[in-house]
C-alpha cells in the first residue's frame, strides 16, 4: 500500500529538454521489453461456459508471468496491490467479460506464480510498466484501459504517463494520482515528523518480512483491519502504531471475504514469502529518481478514481474528501471520482457490485478502442 506526497501543483512543463529526457527514459523502458515472447498455454477453464477463463504463462522481460484472460473485445488490464494476486479481480473480470470486453489480469512481479527477482532495484516503475507493456505485446493487444488497486494503481498511473497510446484510459482504486514532486514520498513523510509512526517505513528495514509470518495470520489481519469491518476507532490507521494493520484479527474472515480467495492468497504467500511485495516499498526512491522526466506531469487520458470512505489510507492522502476540480488539476480528463461509503481499502471485495457499476459506466463512456 503506497504512500503519496502532495506537493504544490505547478503548471506542467513541456520544454525541449524535458521532451528529450522523456524520450531517453522511454527508450530504456522499451529495451526492457526486447525479446518478449509468449508461451501462452491454457491451463484449463473457469468462469462460465460462455466466457471461459483462460490462464497463460507468458515469457516477458526475462521472466515468466501468470496471467488470467477472460472474454473478448476491447481490453482491460487489471493490476493488483499488496498483498494480493490476480485472483483479487475475479468479480470485476467476470462483469467486464459479460459486458463485451476482454479482461486481463496478471500476478504482478514478485507475487503468485510470476517472476520474483530478489533485488529491490528490479521493482521500480520502469520494470513494472515494462511488464504491463510486455503482457499486452505477448497477447497481441494494441491498447487497453488499465485498472489498478493499491500498488497496482500507483504503477498503472505511471504506465498512463509513459505510454499514453497503449493505455487509453485509467481507473485508480484506493490511490489518488499525485505527480512526481521535488522529494520522494518517504522523505516527505520523514519531513512531516512521521518517520517513527508511518507504517510503511518499518517495512523498508532488512528482514521486515518476518513480521508477516505466518501468512495465515498476516493475510487475515490485513484484510480485516484495512476494511470497514472493524468498529470505527479500531480500524487501521497508517500513522498510529497502536492501530497496526498486522494486529491479530478477531475473526477468521470478514463477512465480505470469500473463503476460497483468502485460502488462495494465504497459500500463495506461504510459497513466495513477502520479500517481493515489500520490494515495491523499497524501490520507491529508485522510481522517484527514474521518473525525473515526468516531474509535475498530468495524466491526460480519461480517468476514474474510486475509493472507500472508510479507507484509512485514503483518509491519510486526503483528510477531507477532495473536490473533483482539485483532482482535475493533475488529471484534467478525470470523468468522476466515486466515494463508496461504508467501504474500506478492499473495494473490489467489500463493494464489488458498486465498483463494477462504476467501472462499466466508465468503459461505456470511453467506447471501443
Amino acid at each position: 500500500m503506497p504512500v503519496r506526497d502532495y506537493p504544490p501543483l505547478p503548471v506542467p512543463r513541456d520544454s525541449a529538454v524535458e521532451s528529450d529526457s522523456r524520450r531517453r527514459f522511454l527508450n530504456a523502458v522499451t529495451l526492457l521489453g526486447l525479446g518478449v515472447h509468449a508461451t501462452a498455454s491454457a491451463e484449463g477453464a473457469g468462469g462460465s461456459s460462455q466466457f471461459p477463463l483462460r490462464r497463460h504463462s507468458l515469457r516477458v522481460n526475462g521472466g515468466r508471468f501468470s496471467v488470467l484472460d477472460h472474454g473478448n473485445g476491447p481490453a482491460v488490464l487489471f493490476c493488483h496491490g499488496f498483498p494480493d494476486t490476480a485472483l483479487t479481480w475475479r468479480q470485476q473480470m467476470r462483469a467486464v467479460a459479460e459486458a463485451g470486453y476482454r479482461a486481463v489480469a496478471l500476478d504482478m512481479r514478485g507475487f503468485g506464480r510470476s517472476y520474483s527477482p530478489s533485488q529491490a532495484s528490479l521493482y521500480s516503475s520502469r520494470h513494472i510498466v515494462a511488464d504491463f507493456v510486455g503482457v499486452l505485446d505477448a497477447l497481441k493487444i494494441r491498447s487497453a484501459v488499465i485498472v489498478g488497486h493499491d500498488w497496482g494503481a500507483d504503477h498503472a498511473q505511471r504506465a498512463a504517463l509513459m505510454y499514453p497510446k497503449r493505455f487509453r484510459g485509467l481507473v485508480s482504486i484506493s490511490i489518488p494520482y499525485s505527480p512526481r514532486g521535488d522529494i520522494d514520498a518517504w522523505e516527505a513523510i520523514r519531513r512531516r515528523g512521521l518517520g517513527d509512526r508511518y507504517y510503511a517505513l518499518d517495512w523498508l528495514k532488512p528482514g521486515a518480512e518476518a513480521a508477516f509470518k505466518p501468512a495465515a495470520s498476516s493475510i487475515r489481519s490485513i484484510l480485516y483491519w484495512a476494511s470497514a469491518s472493524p468498529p470505527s476507532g479500531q480500524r487501521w490507521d497508517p500513522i498510529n502504531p497502536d492501530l497496526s494493520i498486522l494486529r491479530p484479527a478477531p475473526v477468521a474472515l470478514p463477512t465480505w471475504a470469500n473463503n476460497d480467495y483468502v485460502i488462495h492468497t494465504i497459500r500463495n504467500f506461504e510459497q513466495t514469502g513477502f520479500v517481493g511485495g515489500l520490494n515495491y516499498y523499497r524501490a520507491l526512491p529508485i522510481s522517484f529518481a527514474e521518473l525525473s522526466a515526468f516531474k509535475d506531469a498530468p495524466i491526460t487520458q480519461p480517468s476514474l478514481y474510486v475509493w472507500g470512505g472508510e479507507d484509512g489510507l485514503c483518509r491519510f492522502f486526503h483528510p477531507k474528501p477532495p473536490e473533483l476540480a482539485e483532482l482535475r488539476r493533475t488529471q484534467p480528463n478525470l470523468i468522476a471520482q466515486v466515494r463508496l461509503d461504508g467501504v474500506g481499502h478492499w473495494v473490489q471485495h467489500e463493494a464489488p457490485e458498486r465498483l463494477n457499476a462504476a467501472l462499466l459506466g466508465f468503459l461505456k463512456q470511453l467506447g471501443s478502442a
Side-chain angles (χ1 to χ4, degrees):
M1 301 170 188
V3 62
R4 308 308 305 276
D5 176 30
Y6 280 82
L9 300 173
V11 177
R13 298 174 300 173
D14 191 23
S15 67
V17 172
E18 184 185 20
S19 297
D20 182 64
S21 179
R22 289 192 192 192
R23 281 194 295 270
R24 289 197 304 271
F25 178 85
L26 291 177
N27 285 341
V29 174
T30 302
L31 286 174
L32 286 171
L34 289 177
V36 168
H37 75 280
T39 55
S41 59
E43 296 178 358
S48 65
S49 57
Q50 185 180 3
F51 301 104
L53 180 65
R54 302 177 292 272
R55 300 176 185 269
H56 307 287
S57 176
L58 305 180
R59 183 80 177 176
V60 175
N61 297 331
R64 290 215 171 264
F65 285 79
S66 178
V67 176
L68 303 180
D69 185 3
H70 202 19
N72 298 285
V76 182
L77 179 66
F78 290 89
C79 313
H80 67 80
F82 174 79
D84 223 333
T85 68
L87 194 65
T88 196
W89 298 113
R90 68 198 184 286
Q91 297 178 84
Q92 286 68 49
M93 293 184 74
R94 176 183 287 272
V96 164
E98 291 177 348
Y101 298 88
R102 182 179 183 181
V104 177
L106 71 157
D107 282 352
M108 300 269 284
R109 174 180 295 235
F111 295 99
R113 300 181 184 180
S114 286
Y115 177 50
S116 299
S118 60
Q119 308 98 305
S121 61
L122 298 181
Y123 289 79
S124 68
S125 286
R126 73 186 183 98
H127 291 92
I128 305 300
V129 172
D131 294 343
F132 298 163
V133 174
V135 166
L136 295 186
D137 286 346
L139 295 176
K140 296 180 172 54
I141 294 173
R142 182 173 59 85
S143 68
V145 174
I146 190 165
V147 179
H149 173 252
D150 193 78
W151 275 113
D154 184 90
H155 289 297
Q157 293 159 4
R158 310 305 154 198
L161 283 173
M162 297 178 201
Y163 287 93
K165 293 183 179 180
R166 295 302 297 270
F167 300 103
R168 64 189 188 95
L170 166 70
V171 180
S172 301
I173 302 172
S174 304
I175 304 293
Y177 173 62
S178 177
R180 182 194 186 278
D182 294 316
I183 56 175
D184 75 65
W186 299 151
E187 180 60 24
I189 290 290
R190 295 184 183 102
R191 291 189 187 184
R192 290 175 59 181
L194 299 174
D196 295 330
R197 295 169 56 193
Y198 192 75
Y199 78 104
L201 297 188
D202 277 343
W203 296 1
L204 305 179
K205 300 173 183 176
E209 54 273 11
F212 292 83
K213 296 179 181 179
S217 174
S218 63
I219 294 299
R220 289 189 170 98
S221 292
I222 293 169
L223 291 174
Y224 178 75
W225 292 117
S227 75
S229 293
S232 178
Q234 296 183 28
R235 297 176 188 131
W236 173 50
D237 184 339
I239 58 173
N240 185 346
D242 291 334
L243 297 177
S244 167
I245 202 170
L246 292 176
R247 288 170 288 163
V251 297
L253 289 175
T255 55
W256 49 264
N258 175 277
N259 183 65
D260 290 343
Y261 160 75
V262 175
I263 295 302
H264 162 86
T265 306
I266 289 171
R267 287 177 177 170
N268 269 271
F269 282 95
E270 286 175 341
Q271 294 173 4
T272 65
F274 291 87
V275 173
L278 294 183
N279 277 342
Y280 281 73
Y281 298 84
R282 294 162 178 159
L284 186 147
I286 302 171
S287 293
F288 177 83
E290 291 175 348
L291 294 170
S292 60
F294 296 91
K295 185 176 183 294
D296 304 326
I299 290 175
T300 58
Q301 293 96 319
S303 303
L304 175 69
Y305 173 41
V306 184
W307 57 287
E310 314 308 321
D311 185 350
L313 199 60
C314 290
R315 288 173 178 256
F316 177 76
F317 294 150
H318 37 68
K320 294 182 180 179
E323 299 289 338
L324 194 59
E326 174 189 352
L327 295 172
R328 282 177 175 163
R329 294 174 68 186
T330 56
Q331 289 181 275
N333 291 311
L334 184 70
I335 290 176
Q337 66 156 325
V338 179
R339 172 181 171 172
L340 300 177
D341 292 328
V343 176
H345 187 68
W346 299 102
V347 175
Q348 66 270 42
H349 299 285
E350 296 180 68
E353 293 182 357
R354 284 187 279 172
L355 174 58
N356 291 352
L359 176 58
L360 292 176
F362 175 72
L363 293 173
K364 184 176 181 180
Q365 282 188 268
L366 282 185
S368 300

